[in-house]
Amino acid sequence: MKIVAATTNRGKVREFQEVLGELGFEIVPMQDMGLDLEIEETGSTFEENALIKARAVSLMCACPVIADDSGLCVDALDGAPGLYSARFAGEDATDADRNKKLIEMMQGKTNRHAEYIASLAFIFPDGREITAEGRIDGEIMTEEHGSGGFGYDPLFFCNKIQKCFGVATPEEKNAVSHRGQALQKLCEILKKEVE
């Protein structure tokens, strides 16, 4: 079964496929379905933004839709970048730009605790909606480590696996990450739906 991913982020699509592919789903980026939407994220929580994205794409196609809103919340920055994680260094910034800005803002900070949060929204063709959330604790490194993952992964030291997501294998990351947790919760619900 095809599921349309309401995202332009290929890293997220890859993670969706790695987990949901085990249930026989094929994750298709919305661009591959000819959908080129600019979706304004006006929610005040990750869950609200995930639902906004999923609903917008769901109106344009007859397939199930999955959307994610996620971000990095850093204690020393009062929860920033948070909901603005993707736009932290400006609209057209790259992962490298965002990581550079985070390193600069964390200079001299002793509290380096951070939390990755992910909310998923899944909408069936009949309009039913499911949401799932995952969270993982870690620390912000003083410099980038590895080139794996995407986003802030090269700066995020995961306490649970005692390594930076930038050097973790996809399997190690998916087993504990915020998105991996949310996807596992979603999988449990979807397994019951497809039985």
Side-chain angles (χ1 to χ4, degrees):
M1 181 192 299
K2 253 181 207 171
I3 298 173
V4 178
T7 182
T8 56
N9 185 318
R10 295 280 174 173
K12 288 182 182 182
V13 172
R14 188 175 58 249
E15 288 187 4
F16 293 159
Q17 185 62 55
E18 285 165 356
V19 178
L20 295 173
E22 294 174 13
L23 293 180
F25 293 117
E26 178 193 354
I27 310 302
V28 181
M30 64 183 194
Q31 311 91 290
D32 293 8
M33 299 291 287
L35 301 174
D36 185 22
L37 304 173
E38 280 292 323
I39 303 167
E40 196 175 344
E41 298 174 29
T42 56
S44 58
T45 65
F46 292 113
E47 182 180 275
E48 287 176 12
N49 281 338
L51 282 165
I52 287 167
K53 291 186 262 191
R55 287 170 182 157
V57 171
S58 181
L59 293 172
M60 310 288 288
C61 67
C63 298
V65 174
I66 187 170
D68 150 285
D69 196 46
S70 53
L72 180 69
C73 301
V74 181
D75 288 5
L77 304 179
D78 297 323
L83 289 175
Y84 306 100
S85 292
R87 302 177 295 282
F88 185 51
E91 284 297 326
D92 298 318
T94 63
D95 286 348
D97 296 332
R98 288 184 282 275
N99 286 334
K100 183 176 182 233
K101 181 172 181 179
L102 182 58
I103 289 169
E104 288 167 1
M105 290 183 74
M106 288 299 289
Q107 281 183 355
K109 306 278 189 200
T110 52
N111 177 4
R112 304 194 71 84
H113 177 263
E115 185 178 44
Y116 256 139
I117 302 172
S119 282
L120 294 178
F122 187 96
I123 301 183
F124 292 93
D126 65 8
R128 283 175 301 140
E129 298 178 345
I130 299 171
T131 59
E133 185 179 89
R135 295 168 178 257
I136 189 72
D137 283 314
E139 307 288 323
I140 300 302
M141 312 285 280
T142 56
E143 60 187 36
E144 292 187 31
H145 293 266
S147 58
F150 60 94
Y152 299 98
D153 287 354
L155 289 175
F156 186 81
F157 181 86
C158 176
N159 293 333
K160 194 157 192 171
I161 58 171
Q162 287 294 295
K163 77 172 55 166
C164 185
F165 274 171
V167 298
T169 66
E171 294 77 21
E172 287 172 324
K173 180 186 172 189
N174 289 341
V176 299
S177 78
H178 53 312
R179 193 169 298 103
Q181 289 176 40
L183 281 165
Q184 290 303 331
K185 290 175 186 174
L186 182 64
C187 276
E188 292 307 310
I189 299 167
L190 291 178
K191 275 179 195 167
K192 293 173 186 155
E193 291 285 337
V194 296
E195 277 173 1

